[in-house]
Structure formats: C-alpha cells, structure tokens
Amino acid sequence: MTRLYPTFLLLFLLPFISFAQCPSGDVILDSQIAVEQFVTQYPDCTTIEGNLTIGRTFSTSNVDNISGLSNITTVTGNLLVRGNFELTSLNGLSSLATVGGDFTLVNNVNIPTLDPLSNLTMVGGAFTIENISDIAHLNGLTSLDSVGGFLTLEDNRDLNDLSGLDSLQHAGGISIRDNRALEEVAGFINVQTLGSGIFISSNEMLERITGFNNLTTVGGSFSIFGNDVLTEISGFSNLDLIGTDFF
C-alpha cells in the first residue's frame, strides 16, 4: 500500500500542476517573440478573459505572423490589432466569434483581406476598421450580426464594396468616412435601428447612397457631408425618425 501512495498522489495532483489553458487577465503581444511565446505556453487557449492587444499603440511592431492564435474564439474585453506593418494576414483570428468590448483594427497597412474574420458574429462595443490600406471589400464579415457601439470604416484607401455587411442587424451607430475609392454605399439591408447616429462624410469618390432601405429609426444624428461628387441618395427609403440633428 505504501508503495502505491506516491503514484496515486501524482495522478491526483496532475490536473492542478499542468499548464493553464489560457492566461488570466489582459494579454499584450507587442512583438513576434511575444506571439511565439504565447503560442508555446498556451497552445490550446480559446478564451481571453480580458483585453487582447496585438501590436503597439504608439509605435509599430514587428509582428508578422499570428497564425498560432487560431484557437481563440472569444475575447471578453477589448481586442486591439494596431501598428503591425509587417503583418500580411489575420489568419490567426479565423476562429474568433465574439469580442465582448471594442474591436479595433488600425494601421495594419499590408493586410489585403478581412476574410479570416468569417466566424465573427458579435462585437459588444465599437468596431473600428481604419487605415487598412489594401482591403477592397468586407466579405470576411458576412457572419457579423451585432455591433454594440459604432461601426466605423475610416481611411481605408482601396475599400470600394460594403456588401459584406449585409448580415448586420444591430449597431449602435455607423460612420463611413474618408474612404477614397468608395463610389457607392449600398446594402445594410437588415439594419432597422441605429441608436447613436449615422455619419457618411469626406468620401471623395462617393457618387451614390442606395443602402439602408430597411432603416426606420436613427436615435442620434443623421449626417451626410463633404462627399464632393455625391449625386444620388436613393437609400433610406423607410426612414421616419431621426432623434437629434439632421445635416
């Protein structure tokens, strides 16, 4: 009996001494080494209980490959992907379904497509896509159903097709600004209410706004300005309530 005791104790304690599946708290991956260390230590991590930062806020990072993060399905806090000039794919976010807070994609200038985000269904806070120079369409967002805060599309040089957002049903507000190749704002066929407003501004090639035909209510401001070649607004055919300003 005494000879079996150490073996029994080891088997009992093994689940408690093995590595945790995911770290506790916020995760900051501001270099490629940091990404690789995370993948080595937490290869089966699926849920980040906190904020996840990939890149750097005030400078650029050398992150160039996040494929090892492909098991992550949920970030309960904010997800920030910023300043990764060497990153050419978001394939490491291919399993991501839910972001509890804000999801910010900013200054990742060499990402050609958002297709790896095809499983994303919900962003609890704001969703910002800004200065992703090479994306021409948003087809990777065809599963996106709900954005709790503002959906912002800003300064995306080659963006010319918004139809990938046709599954979107709920958003706090929408801002479409300074997308230089965008000629038409179409789609958004399932959006009925925007609680905080809609802003479409400074899109220098925008000629037509034909979307939002099931939108009935804008709780905040309704603003379309600075689109110098805009000649047609045939969308918003069912809009009957604007909460505050109209300009």
Side-chain angles (χ1 to χ4, degrees):
M1 294 291 293
T2 55
R3 293 181 181 178
L4 293 175
Y5 180 76
T7 303
F8 172 78
L9 183 61
L10 179 62
L11 291 173
F12 177 77
L13 292 175
L14 187 59
F16 300 96
I17 64 176
S18 61
F19 289 114
Q21 187 180 38
C22 294
S24 59
D26 298 343
V27 174
I28 298 175
L29 306 177
D30 59 0
S31 67
Q32 188 58 36
I33 290 176
V35 172
E36 292 168 0
Q37 289 175 339
F38 177 88
V39 172
T40 298
Q41 190 168 2
Y42 305 104
D44 299 317
C45 181
T46 59
T47 300
I48 301 296
E49 296 283 355
N51 302 322
L52 172 59
T53 299
I54 303 171
R56 297 178 179 175
T57 302
F58 300 110
S59 61
T60 61
S61 82
N62 68 347
V63 173
D64 60 13
N65 187 338
I66 61 171
S67 60
L69 305 179
S70 60
N71 286 324
I72 294 175
T73 62
T74 304
V75 177
T76 64
N78 300 326
L79 173 54
L80 173 63
V81 184
R82 180 168 186 154
N84 302 292
F85 285 15
E86 298 180 34
L87 188 64
T88 58
S89 175
L90 293 174
N91 57 359
L93 302 179
S94 59
S95 296
L96 183 69
T98 303
V99 177
D102 297 339
F103 186 2
T104 306
L105 284 166
V106 178
N107 296 341
N108 303 286
V109 297
N110 290 311
I111 293 174
T113 177
L114 301 184
D115 287 359
L117 298 178
S118 60
N119 285 308
L120 182 67
T121 61
M122 192 274 285
V123 176
F127 187 10
T128 301
I129 302 170
E130 180 181 345
N131 193 23
I132 314 295
S133 303
D134 292 341
I135 59 168
H137 59 77
L138 302 175
N139 293 349
L141 300 178
T142 53
S143 296
L144 184 64
D145 170 80
S146 177
V147 176
F150 258 90
L151 170 63
T152 298
L153 306 171
E154 181 172 345
D155 194 22
N156 300 294
R157 182 190 63 200
D158 293 339
L159 182 62
N160 58 35
D161 182 358
L162 307 183
S163 61
L165 291 167
D166 282 351
S167 293
L168 185 69
Q169 297 189 47
H170 310 285
I174 291 178
S175 176
I176 303 171
R177 182 177 185 273
D178 197 23
N179 300 287
R180 283 164 278 180
L182 188 63
E183 297 180 0
E184 181 177 10
V185 174
F188 296 95
I189 57 176
N190 289 305
V191 177
Q192 297 184 29
T193 302
L194 295 173
S196 299
I198 182 167
F199 301 87
I200 303 175
S201 65
S202 303
N203 301 286
E204 63 186 53
M205 299 296 292
L206 183 62
E207 299 176 357
R208 301 176 301 281
I209 300 176
T210 60
F212 296 99
N213 283 310
N214 287 310
L215 181 66
T216 61
T217 304
V218 176
S221 297
F222 183 100
S223 177
I224 300 175
F225 68 93
N227 306 288
D228 294 340
V229 299
L230 181 63
T231 57
E232 176 188 346
I233 302 178
S234 57
F236 307 105
S237 58
N238 286 299
L239 182 62
D240 57 21
L241 178 62
I242 296 173
T244 54
D245 301 323
F246 178 85
F247 60 93

